[in-house]
Amino acid sequence: MRRAPALTPRAFFSGDEAIIAQVLALLPARWHDVYGELGTKGQADGPKVASSKTAPLPVSEHADELLGDIVAILTSWEERVAAVARLHIDTDAWRRRRAHVAAATLTRHLAVLLALPAEPTMRAVSLTTAATLPRGARGLVHEAAGYAEVFLDLSGADAGLEVLSLLRRCRRLLGETPPTARRLDGVACGGCDFAELRELLDDDGAFVGARCYECGTEYTTTTYAELVDERKRAAIQAGYRRRTVPRAADGDQVARRV
Ligand SMILES: [Zn+2]
C-alpha cells in the first residue's frame, strides 16, 4: 500500500537531498508564519471555508490542521531516524519547539532518513482518502471529527515527498506563488544551438530541469548538467585553439619552423 498518488509521483534524483535539506531548514520559520494565520484562516473548530486578505485559496485548509501535520509528520520521521541512528529525542517539548528540533534532527541525519525502508507509519488522512485504501488496511476512523488514522507503508522516499508537500501546503495557505522560471543565459541548446533554455520548476519552485523555447527539447537536472559540462569543455577547447594556433602574417610554414 503506497500513498504516492496523493503526493508528487516523480522519481528522486541526485539533487533531491540538497533540496530536502533546504526545505527542512525553511519549515520551522514557515510553521511560525502559518501560526500567525491562526484566527484569520479559521481554527480546527472554525468555519470550513478559508478566507484570505488577498486571493482565494485554491484548496481550503486550516492553519491549525497544517501546524498539527507539520509536527506529526516531522516527529514521526524523527522517531524512525532516532531508532536507526540510536538517538535520544526529547518528546515532551512544546509543539513548535518539537517541529524545530525534529527538522534539525532530520537535517543532521538526512542520509538515514532517505534510506529508511518502508514500514507501517501512522498518518491522519481524510475520510475520502481512507475510503480508497485497500481492504485490510489498519487504522481508526473518527467519523464525527471527519478524519481517519491509518497505517501507511512509508519509506525514506515518502519522507522526502512529505517534507516537500508540507512546504507546498504552507505556501498555499499563506497565499504565496512559487517563483517563475528564469531564462538560462549563455547555455545553447544541444538540439538547435539557440540559447533559449528556461528553467523547469516543480510546484515548490525547485529546479527540475530545462526546456528549449526554440525547439522544445527538455532536459532533466542530469542531462542539463551534462549539456553545461559539454559547453564548458567546448569553450575551453576553443580557447586553447586560439592560444596555440596564432595567425602568422607570412604563412604557417614560417611560424611552425622558427
Ligand atoms: Zn533547442
Side-chain angles (χ1 to χ4, degrees):
M1 169 178 53
R2 308 274 300 169
R3 199 158 86 125
L7 301 162
T8 319
R10 73 186 168 87
F12 268 62
F13 55 88
S14 59
D16 279 352
E17 204 166 315
I19 291 167
I20 291 160
Q22 276 173 27
V23 173
L24 284 170
L26 289 173
L27 277 177
R30 306 294 20 217
W31 196 98
H32 188 77
D33 294 339
V34 173
Y35 188 80
E37 297 293 326
L38 277 179
T40 66
K41 292 215 168 100
Q43 306 200 14
D45 57 351
K48 278 280 173 192
V49 179
S51 62
S52 164
K53 279 161 271 173
T54 53
L57 299 169
V59 174
S60 84
E61 171 153 61
H62 302 295
D64 201 47
E65 238 171 63
L66 179 52
L67 294 173
D69 279 354
I70 294 173
V71 176
I73 289 172
L74 293 183
T75 55
S76 103
W77 288 116
E78 185 190 33
E79 278 167 27
R80 288 197 44 197
V81 163
V84 173
R86 295 164 187 271
L87 309 169
H88 169 76
I89 48 173
D90 174 15
T91 51
D92 294 331
W94 184 53
R95 66 176 190 164
R96 178 179 158 198
R97 175 100 193 108
R98 287 291 297 120
H100 204 112
V101 169
T105 308
L106 298 179
T107 305
R108 272 198 310 277
H109 303 276
L110 196 54
V112 175
L113 173 71
L114 297 179
L116 286 173
E119 245 177 54
T121 309
M122 177 130 79
R123 285 292 178 265
V125 298
S126 69
L127 294 179
T128 325
T129 305
T132 65
L133 295 175
R135 227 168 231 285
R138 287 188 300 138
L140 258 184
V141 171
H142 303 278
E143 196 81 55
Y147 76 101
E149 287 179 305
V150 293
F151 281 95
L152 302 171
D153 275 338
L154 300 182
S155 69
D158 297 306
L161 293 173
E162 284 196 332
V163 166
L164 295 176
S165 164
L166 286 177
L167 180 65
R168 185 157 45 234
R169 288 172 62 190
C170 289
R171 286 187 171 151
R172 212 183 270 154
L173 186 127
L174 296 163
E176 297 171 359
T177 45
T180 49
R182 290 166 305 172
R183 181 156 160 206
L184 298 157
D185 277 331
V187 181
C189 170
C192 67
D193 249 10
F194 281 97
E196 284 298 334
L197 298 184
R198 275 167 208 270
E199 293 177 313
L200 288 177
L201 305 172
D202 70 5
D203 293 349
D204 302 304
F207 179 77
V208 290
R211 182 174 189 278
C212 174
Y213 275 56
E214 183 64 30
C215 72
T217 302
E218 286 202 358
Y219 299 85
T220 63
T221 47
T222 312
T223 56
Y224 176 71
E226 284 166 5
L227 177 71
V228 171
D229 282 349
E230 194 185 301
R231 295 298 184 195
K232 266 189 208 153
R233 267 199 308 276
I236 289 168
Q237 274 165 11
Y240 286 156
R241 271 200 298 279
R242 276 197 296 277
R243 278 195 295 276
T244 53
V245 189
R247 228 171 252 275
D250 30 354
D252 57 357
Q253 294 289 42
V254 180
R256 265 185 213 166
R257 291 168 194 209
V258 168

